[in-house]
Amino acid sequence: MPQRLSLSLPCGDNLFLLVSYPIHADEKVDLEANAQVSLRGAMDGGGFKKHGGWQNRTVSATQILVQELSRHSDSGQEIGFYHAFMIGRRYVSILTIGPAANKPELSQVTSKLTIKPIQ
């Protein structure tokens, strides 16, 4: 089974991209460091620009970093939110993308998650 998971879910006008990979035993678990590198890849690959800085949230006792993004596409202005968190020694990111009118739902995608470390 591959160590890296990538999942793309289109939902109406929105797109949800989930990526997860393990933090190896010789690496330090550092959410902010992993999130910065992964966010840079998402920005470079998707043509996004940051708006503001990281927002900190807590869901199910798990720290989640959220970064607002935007880009101009063929269909017009799009907004995105990059959500980053750790589950045990796995880094998880969810990139939500859609039209600016969908900003509330895109920004809150992780607010209703139940996050449980794998035993």
Side-chain angles (χ1 to χ4, degrees):
M1 182 165 241
Q3 292 291 313
R4 187 174 188 90
L5 170 68
S6 297
L7 180 64
S8 175
L9 299 169
C11 184
D13 292 337
N14 299 330
L15 177 63
F16 301 87
L17 303 167
L18 181 135
V19 172
S20 175
Y21 57 84
I23 305 300
H24 299 287
D26 62 342
E27 295 177 282
K28 180 181 175 188
V29 174
D30 186 339
L31 175 59
E32 290 187 35
N34 283 291
Q36 288 289 43
V37 172
S38 186
L39 172 63
R40 175 55 50 200
M43 289 173 56
D44 291 348
F48 288 100
K49 297 199 182 312
K50 291 195 299 184
H51 286 274
W54 288 109
Q55 300 169 27
N56 278 294
R57 298 186 184 157
T58 302
V59 175
S60 300
T62 300
Q63 177 188 11
I64 299 177
L65 297 176
V66 181
Q67 175 64 60
E68 185 176 348
L69 305 167
S70 68
R71 71 178 177 187
H72 188 75
S73 70
D74 294 339
S75 59
Q77 191 69 19
E78 289 184 318
I79 193 162
F81 287 89
Y82 186 89
H83 310 259
F85 54 99
M86 302 295 288
I87 299 177
R89 294 192 62 83
R90 284 197 78 82
Y91 175 79
V92 180
S93 68
I94 302 172
L95 176 58
T96 59
I97 307 166
N102 297 354
K103 183 176 181 174
E105 65 193 72
L106 295 170
S107 70
Q108 295 298 319
V109 73
T110 54
S111 67
K112 295 185 181 177
L113 286 178
T114 301
I115 303 169
K116 294 182 182 178
I118 299 170
Q119 301 297 326

